[in-house]
Amino acid sequence: MATPDDPGPPRGPDGPGPHEGEGPPPGQGPFPGQGPYGGQPPYGQGPYGGPEPYGQQPYGGALPPPPPGAYGGPQRPGGGLGTAALVLGICALVLLLVCGVGTVVAVVGLVIGIVAIAKNSNRRRAVAGVVLSALTLVLGVIFAVVVYNWYQSRNLGECFDPARFPDQAAVQRCLESHLGTE
């Protein structure tokens, strides 16, 4: 007899079910070889009660190791020179456009890029770094030629002759008159 604290076996909303009390013996599922709760077969046993097919390990087994360099695994050595050449090539181009000193960085990037190509160290990045460094040097030479021609066409060199313009104020007046900023 059930007490208020022990409600007895579970019942449906309309009372006991038509098959209540029937079922597999305790400790077994509805099919042979299954655990008491149904679902997957015990570890190491195939879905039909026999061993795993084709000699597979249960549940897929171990995964193969990741390729080199993937997911923080072991990386290939020697890729730093190519990367350095690429970074220096990018910095050289930016520094040339910003403040004009990119040619010095471009020379260093060109040398490191050539060494990286010779050592076959991250070759794609090294080639990109050499191309960017060479482009920076070409743009630097073009920029220097344009500035020199502008300087000569305005005849600004005579303003810096100490015999003709002995003090800073005289040099300033000469530059203002040649540049038309008076």
Side-chain angles (χ1 to χ4, degrees):
M1 174 145 211
T3 63
D5 294 333
D6 181 23
R11 298 175 183 229
D14 298 326
H19 302 289
E20 193 167 310
E22 298 177 15
Q28 291 200 1
F31 300 104
Q34 253 187 342
Y37 302 109
Q40 294 186 352
Y43 183 78
Q45 189 174 5
Y48 303 109
E52 286 289 325
Y54 309 113
Q56 294 176 348
Q57 294 182 357
Y59 304 108
L63 294 175
Y71 308 110
Q75 296 183 353
R76 296 178 307 204
L81 285 177
T83 304
L86 178 64
V87 169
L88 287 172
I90 293 170
C91 290
L93 191 58
V94 170
L95 287 174
L96 179 70
L97 298 175
V98 171
C99 60
V101 297
T103 53
V104 176
V105 178
V107 170
V108 174
L110 191 64
V111 170
I112 289 179
I114 291 171
V115 169
I117 291 172
K119 288 186 173 185
N120 203 13
S121 171
N122 213 342
R123 192 176 183 92
R124 283 182 161 177
R125 290 182 183 178
V127 168
V130 166
V131 168
L132 286 173
S133 295
L135 177 68
T136 302
L137 288 174
V138 169
L139 288 175
V141 167
I142 291 171
F143 181 70
V145 167
V146 167
V147 168
Y148 180 76
N149 285 336
W150 176 80
Y151 181 81
Q152 291 297 325
S153 70
R154 299 285 182 148
N155 203 12
L156 296 176
E158 73 178 17
C159 293
F160 298 103
D161 184 11
R164 293 183 64 189
F165 303 100
D167 60 351
Q168 182 66 32
V171 171
Q172 184 72 26
R173 282 192 303 275
C174 176
L175 287 174
E176 287 175 356
S177 68
H178 280 84
L179 295 176
T181 58
E182 294 184 70

